[in-house]
Amino acid sequence: VQHRSKLLKKTLLVQDVIVSTGPLVDFEAGRSSEETLNVANAPSDNVDQKLDFVVAGSTESGGYLGVLQRSIRSLSLTKFELGESKGVWTVVDPIRNAACAKARKIRNEKRKLTNIEIQNRNEEIQEARDHWILEAEAAKKALEEKERLERAQNTTEELTGEQNGAMNEDGAHREADEHQKKMDRDELERKAAELYPMEPELVLEDEPADFLTMHSYMFVNMVNPNGTAVLRIEEEITEMDLASAAFVTNASTIAAGNVLANGGIVQVVKSGVKLMRGRRQAFDYMNPHESQIISAEILDPYVLLHLASGIAILLKAEVEKSGVLAAEGDVESVEMDVDDSLSGLDDLSLLVAVEEQEEAKDTIGKMRLIQLCEYGTSNSHEGQLQSCSLYHGPFG
C-alpha cells in the first residue's frame, strides 16, 4: 500500500504535442544520424534535438511512414559571410537563367564529345588488359607444364590396384582446378585493372525542371556602411560585378521582387523605383514628392508605394504588345551552333559570353511603370494613410 501511494504522487509532464499527423497505427522513437543534424542547433549534449519519431499512419486504403523531427534541419550547400544586415530579398532573372541553361547545354555537348574520346581510349585500355592477361596465363601455364615435367622425371610411375580409386577422384580434382582457375582469372583481372586503369567519363550536368524560375540575385540591406549588397545566387553565392549592372547599391532597398511573370525586376528605394530587365535598367520611376518612400509592396504587376507624408501611389508594370518578353522562353529552341571562340572558353567566361548574347537579342525598351492612382494629401493629417497593402481579391 505504501509503495502504491508513492506511485500515485508521481506526475507526467507534457514536453511536446504532435498534431495533424493523421490516424497513427504505431510509432517509434529513434536516435538521429549525425549527418542529418545541424551542429549549430543540436549540441552534443542536447538529447531532445537528436530524437526522431518514425510514425506509421493510414488514410483509407493507403498507408505511409513519416519521420517527425524536433526542428528543421537544413542542408547547407554554400554560404557567404556578410556584415550586419537588416533585410533580404531574392529575385528571378530570366535572362541569366536562360544563359545558364544555354551554357550548361554547351558544356554538356563538349563533355559528350570528350566522353567519346574517353570511350575510345578505354577500349584501347581494355585491349591492353586482355593482352596482358593472355600473356600472364600463357606464362603461368608454361611454368606449370615445366614443373610437371620435372616432377615426372624424378618419380617412377607405378600402376597398382589403387589406380581405379585415383581415377574416381579425378572429377573432384577437376572441379577444384576449375575453381582455382576462376580465382586465378579474377586475380589477373584485378592486377590488370591496377596496371591499366580506365579513364572515368565526365558527368553531364542535370537541368533543373524549374531552372527558368530559379532565383538569381539577392538584395541585402547593409547596416554599416548603409546601402544594398547585391549577390549572385548560383552554385555558390558571390558578389555581383556592379560595374555591369544598374542596381542601386548606395541606398537601402525598401522592397524588391519580380513583375511581368518574372520578366522584370523591381527595386524600390526612398527616391523611386527601378524596373530592370535582368541587370539592365528598363525604366526609372522618380518619386514626384519631396516626402520619401518608407514602405512598398509588390504584387505582379502592381507596385504600391507608401510615402512618409501619408500618400499612397499605385504603379503598374506593363510591356507594349509589340515587345517580345521571353520571361518563360523555351530554352530547347535556343540554337546550339556555337563558334570556336565560345567552345574554347572556360566555364565562367562561357557564361559571361552567352549572357551578353542573350541580352543583345532581348527586348528591353518596351517595359515601363505607369502611375495608376494616388491617394492621400500631404497638406493635412486628414486623409493620410498610416499603412497600406496589396492583395489578390475575388474580382474578375
Side-chain angles (χ1 to χ4, degrees):
V1 175
Q2 293 179 353
H3 179 67
R4 292 181 61 184
S5 63
K6 290 182 181 179
L7 290 178
L8 292 175
K9 294 180 180 178
K10 295 182 179 180
T11 59
L12 295 176
L13 299 178
V14 178
Q15 296 291 335
D16 201 354
V17 178
I18 301 173
V19 296
S20 300
T21 56
L24 299 182
V25 178
D26 197 4
F27 69 92
E28 186 69 37
R31 186 180 180 87
S32 305
S33 63
E34 295 296 331
E35 291 77 7
T36 64
L37 292 174
N38 189 323
V39 178
N41 296 333
S44 58
D45 58 345
N46 193 340
V47 178
D48 289 344
Q49 292 286 351
K50 294 186 177 183
L51 288 180
D52 287 346
F53 278 97
V54 180
V55 298
S58 63
T59 56
E60 297 181 356
S61 61
Y64 70 91
L65 282 178
V67 180
L68 306 180
Q69 300 174 341
R70 171 71 83 173
S71 61
I72 297 175
R73 300 170 188 171
S74 58
L75 177 61
S76 178
L77 298 179
T78 182
K79 63 180 180 179
F80 188 90
E81 294 187 4
L82 288 170
E84 186 179 354
S85 58
K86 54 183 178 181
V88 61
W89 300 264
T90 57
V91 295
V92 178
D93 180 3
I95 303 259
R96 180 73 177 186
N97 288 344
C100 289
K102 183 175 179 180
R104 180 166 50 245
K105 288 181 179 292
I106 294 175
R107 290 194 298 268
N108 281 341
E109 291 299 319
K110 292 166 59 178
R111 292 182 182 184
K112 288 178 182 178
L113 295 177
T114 303
N115 284 341
I116 293 176
E117 298 176 357
I118 293 176
Q119 291 170 4
N120 293 334
R121 290 195 292 268
N122 285 340
E123 289 179 0
E124 296 177 356
I125 293 173
Q126 185 61 49
E127 292 178 358
R129 285 184 182 182
D130 296 339
H131 181 70
W132 183 87
I133 291 174
L134 289 176
E135 288 187 340
E137 288 178 337
K140 183 178 181 180
K141 187 175 181 180
L143 180 61
E144 291 175 348
E145 182 65 16
K146 180 180 178 182
E147 292 176 350
R148 189 188 67 80
L149 293 176
E150 290 177 353
R151 286 195 302 269
Q153 292 176 358
N154 297 329
T155 58
T156 303
E157 297 182 2
E158 297 180 356
L159 295 176
T160 63
E162 298 178 354
Q163 186 176 10
N164 292 333
M167 291 177 62
N168 292 333
E169 297 177 358
D170 285 346
H173 287 309
R174 280 196 297 269
E175 291 182 3
D177 290 343
E178 290 297 329
H179 179 67
Q180 185 62 38
K181 287 180 180 179
K182 184 179 183 304
M183 294 181 60
D184 293 344
R185 178 75 182 190
D186 293 341
E187 179 65 18
L188 289 176
E189 290 181 352
R190 186 185 65 80
K191 289 183 178 180
E194 293 178 356
L195 293 174
Y196 302 94
M198 292 284 191
E199 184 178 352
E201 296 185 14
L202 301 180
V203 179
L204 301 182
E205 299 179 54
D206 294 330
E207 184 176 278
D210 56 347
F211 68 93
L212 280 178
T213 58
M214 294 179 66
H215 287 196
S216 310
Y217 304 124
M218 179 186 296
F219 296 88
V220 183
N221 274 350
M222 307 301 298
V223 175
N224 189 19
N226 192 24
T228 301
V230 182
L231 308 178
R232 194 187 295 278
I233 309 171
E234 289 172 355
E235 287 81 3
E236 296 182 352
I237 300 177
T238 57
E239 288 191 81
M240 187 175 179
D241 181 14
L242 298 176
S244 59
F247 296 118
V248 178
T249 58
N250 57 0
S252 297
T253 297
I254 295 175
N258 285 103
V259 292
L260 300 174
N262 292 334
I265 299 173
V266 170
Q267 182 186 13
V268 182
V269 294
K270 293 180 180 180
S271 58
V273 184
K274 279 188 177 291
L275 177 60
M276 312 283 293
R277 176 63 174 165
R279 57 184 180 177
R280 300 170 299 161
Q281 178 176 300
F283 192 87
D284 190 9
Y285 174 84
M286 300 301 297
N287 180 12
H289 299 273
E290 295 181 0
S291 179
Q292 293 181 338
I293 303 171
I294 59 173
S295 67
E297 289 200 11
I298 301 169
L299 186 61
D300 189 15
Y302 302 103
V303 180
L304 180 62
L305 307 178
H306 184 205
L307 278 58
S309 59
I311 296 176
I313 301 175
L314 182 61
L315 306 177
K316 181 181 180 181
E318 65 176 20
V319 57
E320 295 182 12
K321 294 183 179 180
S322 58
V324 178
L325 211 57
E328 303 291 340
D330 183 7
V331 179
E332 293 295 336
S333 63
V334 175
E335 295 182 0
M336 291 306 302
D337 295 333
V338 293
D339 52 36
D340 296 336
S341 61
L342 285 182
S343 300
L345 296 177
D346 59 83
D347 290 350
L348 180 59
S349 300
L350 173 64
L351 181 56
V352 173
V354 173
E355 185 175 18
E356 290 176 351
Q357 287 184 352
E358 293 296 309
E359 288 177 342
K361 67 182 183 181
D362 182 69
T363 301
I364 188 174
K366 305 297 182 180
M367 299 171 59
R368 62 178 180 175
L369 289 169
I370 60 173
Q371 182 172 323
L372 295 181
C373 62
E374 180 177 314
Y375 181 82
T377 61
S378 58
N379 297 326
S380 65
H381 294 287
E382 184 179 352
Q384 289 187 4
L385 294 176
Q386 298 298 320
S387 64
C388 53
S389 181
L390 287 174
Y391 78 102
H392 279 297
F395 310 114

